[in-house]
Amino acid sequence: MKPVRSLARAMLSGIFVVSGFHNFKNPGRLVPAAKPVTDRVTPLLERADPRIPTDTETLIRVNAAVQVGAGLMLATGRFARPAALVLAGTLVPVTIAGHPFWNTDDPAARNNNQIHFLKNLGLFGGLLLAAADTGGKPGLRWRTGHRIGHSRRSVRRAVRTARREARIAVRSAATARRLPG
């Protein structure tokens, strides 16, 4: 199953690495579409830290660099689950800014944007699956539950043993008192 996972991760991450690289090199072509989204995010960024650059071109470059880095991590299987979540996060503003089919009056452009929106939605679903994929190994939730169950059983055994030993000690003490001495 490992080769299938590796191939699927590489195929899923390919679009992010390639488009991230192109968008990093040439962010200017995306500025008009991204501007409405970055204008909404700018006040939040300024409140978080005034030193964060908020111009649209820089935000596009940052998003592109994150996509390239996380895409390479997903493709190589290094921190694949967190990388998939990061890519899913970068996909949200890209989809909203790049494919707002709800704002388009031209039927052909609306259809095109709707197709790309749904494609990105499918990529988002694939990234969520990649983020949940444990590679055939038990996930943290299962391991934690299993460990808790094991601990509970151990405690129950210890309590039963302590009760048994206490009963034996009480019987031994009673027997010792009855013996003539």
Side-chain angles (χ1 to χ4, degrees):
M1 195 67 162
K2 174 90 170 119
V4 171
R5 276 190 178 92
S6 298
L7 181 61
R9 281 194 312 262
M11 292 168 67
L12 181 58
S13 67
I15 186 70
F16 296 100
V17 174
V18 172
S19 66
F21 178 74
H22 288 298
N23 295 342
F24 187 82
K25 277 183 13 180
N26 186 14
R29 65 185 176 79
L30 301 173
V31 169
K35 188 98 173 98
V37 174
T38 58
D39 287 347
R40 288 181 140 176
V41 173
T42 296
L44 298 172
L45 293 174
E46 288 172 343
R47 261 187 265 140
D49 188 352
R51 296 173 294 179
I52 296 175
T54 56
D55 65 289
T56 303
E57 197 165 304
T58 302
L59 292 175
I60 291 169
R61 277 204 165 114
V62 167
N63 193 57
V66 169
Q67 284 185 339
V68 170
L72 290 172
M73 288 169 54
L74 179 63
T76 60
R78 307 294 284 167
F79 302 107
R81 294 175 70 191
L85 283 177
V86 168
L87 287 171
T90 66
L91 195 57
V92 172
V94 167
T95 303
I96 291 170
H99 309 296
F101 66 91
W102 53 90
N103 289 339
T104 310
D105 292 330
D106 178 29
R110 175 186 283 269
N111 187 46
N112 187 38
N113 275 334
Q114 193 170 25
I115 288 170
H116 286 294
F117 184 90
L118 292 171
K119 172 208 41 134
N120 284 4
L121 196 61
L123 286 171
F124 190 81
L127 290 168
L128 291 180
L129 282 174
D133 180 33
T134 61
K137 300 174 190 163
L140 183 60
R141 180 178 176 188
W142 183 90
R143 290 185 303 205
T144 303
H146 183 73
R147 177 57 53 203
I148 289 170
H150 177 72
S151 298
R152 284 181 182 158
R153 287 189 299 276
S154 295
V155 167
R156 277 190 231 124
R157 276 194 303 270
V159 167
R160 280 195 308 264
T161 302
R163 283 180 182 161
R164 188 176 335 114
E165 289 177 358
R167 281 192 300 268
I168 292 171
V170 167
R171 276 190 232 133
S172 294
T175 305
R177 274 194 228 144
R178 279 188 251 144
L179 292 175

